[in-house]
Amino acid sequence: MAPPPPELLLLLLPLLLGPEPLGAGQMNLTSPQNVQVDVVNTNFTLRWSWDSENDFNVTFSAQYQRTFEDLGKEETTDWKELSGCQNVTVTECDFSSAMTSYLDSYNVRIRAEKGEEKSLWSTISFIPDLIAKIGPPGVQLESIDGVVKINISPPEENQNRKMWRNDNFFTYNAMFWENSSNAEPKSKTINRRDTIYDLAPETTYCLKVQACIISERKVGSFSPVYCIKTTDKAWNVLPYPMNVEVHALNMKFLLSWDNQYDQNVSFTVQYLSGYLKRLSEDYSDKWITISGCVNITTTQCDFSSDIAISGIYFLRVQAMNGYNKSRWSNEIKVDPCVVNEIGPPSVTVSSSKDSLRIQLTPPGESENKSMSEFYDLSYRVLYWKNSSATEEKIKEEEQLLFTISDLTPLVLYCLKVQAFSPAYKKDGHFSDVACIKTLNDKTSPLTILKTFVIAMIAFFFFASFLIFGIYYIFRRIRYAFFPSCKPPSNIECLGGQPFNSPYLSTSEEPTENCCIIENIVIEETDQTDFKDYKHSKQSTRDSGNYSNDDDTSGTKVLEETLEQETA
Amino acid sequence: MTTLSFLHICLVLLLTESSSVDCNMLQFQQNKVNQASLQLLEKMGGQFPVQCLNENSNFISLQNVLSSREFQKENVMVAIQEILQQIFNIFSKSHIQTAWDRSSIVAFQNGLHQQIELLKTWFDGEKKMETTYPQNEDFTRLKVKKYFRVVDNFLKEKQYSLCAWEIIREEMRRCFLFMDQLTKRLKN
């Protein structure tokens, strides 16, 4: 911790510097006591007390010097006469005109004078910016449609010299109360241009306002009290949309309001960038209509694409029925990252014997609006044994991939996950519950491999036997019931005169044997059939041209010849 | 002197205790603002114009104005808040360079405003309104104000010319780079 800067000590002790020896004959007059500087806005007043009995011949005069920085070097001016505080007969004087830069530090000294007699100097140091107080702001009230509109002008609005150059950042604190009742005044922080809603109709309200600079711990003085009577709510026209609310999930923003209308009513939604309320210009013409929400008949409006994620926005809705327009609804403030709710992350779980491995995808990633872009996301896992009524356990993780260890084997565990942002103190929605069983204790990877290999081999054997068996049976069946050949006619002839085998007694067996033998003969006989046919027509061709292994060409030629014949 | 320091330490400790959580949010959002603002400053005016290279600015950078003593959390908060407000004011001037991209200025102002409001709620939570004597951080704020008085006077002297605005834009970029360093000090 660094020691306080020297300026601090300087200011803490209201400096009454010791007497300066200025020559004889001056000690008879006492010097002014309790010297103080009061600064309100840019009005500087020097005050002191002088406890000698009233002596109308005594006057007071003051001098000042300024300490300022020039290119990083501190410089102090010589003592100069303080205009406005020369030969004063009372115990205060206004020296506003002598002060030029309110950020510099000043020394002011004052003494009593009576003819040639002069007292010792009493000195005080101050920095105007630090000791200045805020004056009252100006207030204008307007009563319209049952609400009160307030227009505040900052404490030094129309002045050239300004103590509060940053008047955009005054905080205005309004105290208002019902004039007739003895109710406690209500306090409300308001903007420069603001509206007080929720007031009783036809009632007189009184109000006073003060300006504050919170970061500088400065609280200004109150304005005079102003009173105004509210009008009757303008119900005879079209009522304005009520209960305007914003809901947002994964940065999809929906504005909704009550449907309280009997007739056909359409709505229009507008937004305003929040910073405009801080500026001195009137912002009433700066509202922007949301492109998708002009004359809509639903009581809901998606304005996600119209706003940026950073910044504060205000939204309002108007109802319309033909040429009838309601007044704009109460404005609703939207701070996107604060209003938004974080959806559930997507979860993938796998298990081993004593741990669960969890893989997450940040919320909104599937909609290409990952919440991890907007928040400092961490994840909270709630897990429990499904069987018993054991309590839930919590694990918090910043990573997207992690394991929960020290679990019991062969137990069904259930879990759900939510994303949360520590910075925004925001908890996301929980994912659906996922349940998974941890694996057997004894199952090592080696046994898993062994089991797998054995199962594979067994399966292979079984499958090959099966295929072979089916094939064999099929062949037998086909052989037995659907023989691939029919005995040709010439064999039938042979069959007509069955040769008598000495070994075969039954009549069927020999025919079977015949078939096998004549298998080769079948085609030859076919061929010979054709040959006979051709020979009868084209006797010039040699029969040797038609070989057995050239069936197709043979048939082609046959077809050609047939065609020729028909032609 | 020692009692005062001790009191100060106690006060700071007490304050850091009471507002440590919000501080995370401030830091997180401040980081976002710093990054976004740097990009927007770049976007609103593009490259620094060649014809302005000869203009003399002679600013003592903000970094040199604030000594390392100011880099304690309490002071950092005050410094950041004052810098943001002052920059907001500069860009709210009606003399603002019209050639700059309007939508970037709007986004820039909107982002600053949001953070200023957030800091304000933080200061509001401190409930120190009753302390009247100047504190360490009041002198930090004063230094920031003095620096921006120089910036203001520069613009006035140059009659809000194009080059004056471009130099200020460059200077504000440097301010955000410095604030990036300050923001790191906010970490608990």
Side-chain angles (χ1 to χ4, degrees):
Chain A
M1 182 87 233
E7 306 98 301
L8 181 66
L9 291 174
L10 209 72
L11 272 140
L12 276 172
L13 319 163
L15 271 190
L16 290 164
L17 290 183
E20 294 164 49
L22 285 169
Q26 299 180 340
M27 305 303 274
N28 299 341
L29 273 180
T30 49
S31 46
Q33 303 293 307
N34 305 323
V35 183
Q36 41 172 307
V37 173
D38 280 329
V39 188
V40 178
N41 298 341
T42 52
N43 302 320
F44 291 74
T45 315
L46 189 66
R47 289 194 175 89
W48 61 93
S49 59
W50 203 64
D51 49 25
S52 293
E53 57 281 359
N54 289 341
D55 187 341
F56 296 109
N57 294 325
V58 174
T59 59
F60 303 92
S61 290
Q63 294 183 334
Y64 77 99
Q65 61 178 180
R66 182 166 72 102
T67 306
F68 60 96
E69 252 174 80
D70 188 28
L71 294 168
K73 253 183 19 193
E74 278 214 340
E75 281 183 39
T76 306
T77 61
D78 294 331
W79 287 104
K80 279 185 249 175
E81 288 194 341
L82 188 64
S83 65
C85 295
Q86 299 302 312
N87 306 317
V88 187
T89 51
V90 288
T91 55
E92 64 170 65
C93 59
D94 186 308
F95 63 101
S96 312
S97 59
M99 296 289 106
T100 47
S101 37
Y102 306 130
L103 301 178
D104 292 343
S105 112
Y106 284 88
N107 294 324
V108 168
R109 62 182 186 180
I110 186 160
R111 68 180 174 187
E113 294 167 351
K114 187 182 179 185
E116 286 303 300
E117 247 183 302
K118 290 174 174 72
S119 77
L120 297 170
W121 292 107
S122 292
T123 310
I124 185 168
S125 298
F126 62 92
I127 297 172
D129 182 80
L130 295 184
I131 61 164
K133 296 185 185 103
I134 307 168
V139 179
Q140 257 188 307
L141 299 178
E142 190 190 350
S143 177
I144 183 168
D145 288 350
V147 299
V148 170
K149 288 197 170 175
I150 309 175
N151 199 344
I152 296 168
S153 43
E156 317 172 282
E157 190 168 41
N158 296 317
Q159 289 171 31
N160 282 333
R161 287 149 56 93
K162 278 188 180 175
M163 180 66 71
W164 321 112
R165 296 160 68 103
N166 236 343
D167 62 9
N168 287 336
F169 287 101
F170 274 128
T171 301
Y172 297 102
N173 181 30
M175 301 278 276
F176 64 99
W177 60 93
E178 238 178 85
N179 195 25
S180 51
S181 75
N182 293 321
E184 279 287 296
K186 281 186 218 163
S187 171
K188 191 176 192 290
T189 303
I190 55 173
N191 288 304
R192 233 170 123 155
R193 288 184 183 77
D194 218 321
T195 309
I196 300 187
Y197 304 109
D198 309 320
L199 296 176
E202 308 272 1
T203 312
T204 305
Y205 285 89
C206 292
L207 161 147
K208 58 179 182 178
V209 183
Q210 66 182 162
C212 309
I213 305 176
I214 287 166
S215 60
E216 298 182 26
R217 308 184 307 281
K218 283 184 196 287
V219 181
S221 46
F222 273 107
S223 68
V225 174
Y226 297 86
C227 293
I228 194 165
K229 193 177 178 188
T230 52
T231 60
D232 196 7
K233 282 186 177 145
W235 287 119
N236 50 335
V237 203
L238 199 59
Y240 62 89
M242 306 270 271
N243 293 333
V244 183
E245 283 175 350
V246 171
H247 294 284
L249 181 66
N250 289 348
M251 294 297 171
K252 185 180 162 71
F253 292 91
L254 285 180
L255 190 76
S256 62
W257 53 93
D258 282 359
N259 193 359
Q260 57 196 338
Y261 306 94
D262 306 328
Q263 64 267 68
N264 282 339
V265 166
S266 64
F267 305 95
T268 297
V269 182
Q270 291 188 332
Y271 79 92
L272 180 81
S273 293
Y275 82 97
L276 293 167
K277 289 206 173 193
R278 281 276 161 209
L279 303 182
S280 51
E281 301 102 68
D282 191 2
Y283 57 81
S284 55
D285 59 342
K286 303 272 170 66
W287 288 86
I288 298 170
T289 304
I290 288 173
S291 46
C293 304
V294 187
N295 284 329
I296 51 170
T297 46
T298 53
T299 55
Q300 185 168 292
C301 163
D302 183 343
F303 59 98
S304 317
S305 50
D306 290 67
I307 62 164
I309 300 305
S310 68
I312 295 172
Y313 297 88
F314 290 88
L315 284 123
R316 61 179 192 182
V317 195
Q318 187 182 45
M320 269 167 295
N321 178 18
Y323 292 108
N324 261 350
K325 280 184 182 176
S326 76
R327 83 157 170 84
W328 287 99
S329 71
N330 299 2
E331 288 164 20
I332 184 162
K333 184 177 166 182
V334 179
D335 191 337
C337 283
V338 175
V339 171
N340 180 54
E341 288 177 33
I342 303 169
S346 55
V347 187
T348 319
V349 199
S350 56
S351 68
S352 72
K353 80 176 159 81
D354 62 353
S355 66
L356 297 179
R357 194 178 145 86
I358 296 166
Q359 187 166 9
L360 303 173
T361 315
E365 190 124 306
S366 50
E367 299 127 60
N368 287 330
K369 250 188 193 175
S370 174
M371 290 304 109
S372 54
E373 280 174 42
F374 310 109
Y375 299 99
D376 52 333
L377 287 189
S378 289
Y379 298 92
R380 185 178 294 130
V381 186
L382 256 63
Y383 61 101
W384 62 93
K385 284 181 190 174
N386 195 31
S387 52
S388 60
T390 48
E391 57 188 287
E392 296 170 341
K393 286 183 180 167
I394 299 172
K395 186 181 171 71
E396 291 185 356
E397 273 289 335
E398 285 180 24
Q399 306 303 318
L400 290 167
L401 188 66
F402 57 93
T403 51
I404 300 174
S405 40
D406 296 329
L407 300 178
T408 326
L410 273 175
V411 167
L412 187 62
Y413 279 93
C414 290
L415 60 85
K416 54 182 180 177
V417 190
Q418 72 175 164
F420 68 100
S421 156
Y424 288 85
K425 291 188 205 154
K426 224 172 218 315
D427 289 344
H429 296 189
F430 271 108
S431 66
D432 291 339
V433 175
C435 293
I436 192 165
K437 201 172 188 177
T438 44
L439 300 180
N440 193 341
D441 200 7
K442 280 147 201 155
T443 46
S444 67
L446 193 73
T447 48
I448 295 172
L449 190 75
K450 263 190 214 162
T451 328
F452 181 73
V453 169
I454 290 167
M456 280 300 288
I457 293 168
F459 175 74
F460 185 77
F461 270 95
F462 176 69
S464 40
F465 269 116
L466 197 72
I467 291 165
F468 191 78
I470 289 169
Y471 179 64
Y472 189 73
I473 291 163
F474 178 69
R475 268 194 63 157
R476 297 291 338 162
I477 290 169
R478 194 172 72 163
Y479 186 69
F481 296 105
F482 311 100
S484 60
C485 51
K486 276 180 188 155
S489 50
N490 50 350
I491 301 243
E492 269 170 67
C493 296
L494 277 170
Q497 25 181 253
F499 53 90
N500 295 316
S501 162
Y503 308 103
L504 301 168
S505 52
T506 58
S507 57
E508 284 129 88
E509 277 168 347
T511 34
E512 248 181 47
N513 279 345
C514 270
C515 270
I516 294 166
I517 294 161
E518 293 304 322
N519 225 358
I520 312 148
V521 186
I522 306 163
E523 285 158 43
E524 262 185 19
T525 41
D526 278 349
Q527 219 62 54
T528 42
D529 252 7
F530 291 133
K531 262 187 236 167
D532 290 342
Y533 177 76
K534 268 175 215 145
H535 280 192
S536 59
K537 299 286 167 187
Q538 283 177 306
S539 47
T540 47
R541 293 292 285 266
D542 190 89
S543 67
N545 283 348
Y546 300 93
S547 66
N548 280 349
D549 46 24
D550 205 351
D551 278 9
T552 46
S553 62
T555 43
K556 242 186 205 156
V557 174
L558 172 70
E559 282 162 12
E560 278 168 21
T561 48
L562 280 170
E563 275 167 32
Q564 277 169 6
E565 256 189 9
T566 46
Chain B
M1 175 77 198
T2 31
T3 31
L4 190 82
S5 294
F6 182 69
L7 203 89
H8 205 108
I9 292 168
C10 288
L11 198 74
V12 168
L13 281 178
L14 201 81
L15 292 173
T16 37
E17 265 313 296
S18 64
S19 55
S20 62
V21 189
D22 269 329
C23 215
N24 287 335
M25 181 177 177
L26 278 174
Q27 202 221 1
F28 185 78
Q29 207 158 297
Q30 185 61 46
N31 264 327
K32 282 204 278 187
V33 170
N34 294 342
Q35 301 315 315
S37 301
L38 279 168
Q39 282 173 12
L40 287 166
L41 280 171
E42 187 82 39
K43 202 179 149 198
M44 72 175 74
Q47 291 258 306
F48 188 81
V50 191
Q51 72 263 32
C52 299
L53 285 172
N54 297 328
E55 290 266 342
N56 215 347
S57 56
N58 271 343
F59 285 120
I60 301 172
S61 74
L62 188 58
Q63 195 159 2
N64 296 342
V65 171
L66 298 176
S67 63
S68 58
R69 193 182 65 199
E70 263 98 8
F71 284 2
Q72 281 146 17
K73 200 159 142 188
E74 195 77 347
N75 283 342
V76 166
M77 286 287 192
V78 167
I80 288 180
Q81 207 227 13
E82 193 59 40
I83 295 169
L84 290 176
Q85 287 191 2
Q86 296 280 355
I87 296 178
F88 182 91
N89 261 21
I90 290 178
F91 283 84
S92 309
K93 283 182 193 296
S94 47
H95 315 277
I96 186 94
Q97 188 52 48
T98 44
W100 288 346
D101 173 36
R102 191 70 214 142
S103 66
S104 299
I105 298 174
V106 168
F108 178 77
Q109 293 284 78
N110 223 9
L112 291 188
H113 171 248
Q114 184 186 25
Q115 185 65 4
I116 291 166
E117 295 290 320
L118 186 67
L119 279 159
K120 201 196 259 175
T121 19
W122 185 82
F123 280 108
D124 214 5
E126 301 273 275
K127 292 197 174 72
K128 290 195 300 178
M129 296 304 269
E130 53 283 350
T131 39
T132 46
Y133 59 87
Q135 294 185 337
N136 205 337
E137 62 262 25
D138 289 326
F139 293 96
T140 304
R141 183 182 301 108
L142 202 63
K143 285 178 186 172
V144 176
K145 281 185 179 177
K146 281 182 182 175
Y147 165 80
F148 279 96
R149 185 176 61 183
V150 175
V151 170
D152 242 22
N153 289 343
F154 171 81
L155 275 171
K156 244 179 245 163
E157 272 165 35
K158 301 274 174 184
Q159 292 167 343
Y160 303 98
S161 68
L162 176 119
C163 283
W165 272 114
E166 287 293 344
I167 286 164
I168 294 305
R169 187 165 66 96
E170 192 59 29
E171 190 64 21
M172 294 306 105
R173 248 173 49 81
R174 244 173 265 148
C175 276
F176 276 105
L177 291 174
F178 173 59
M179 273 208 282
D180 197 43
Q181 291 176 35
L182 284 182
T183 311
K184 291 191 179 95
R185 303 263 170 172
L186 288 178
K187 207 152 206 167
N188 286 327

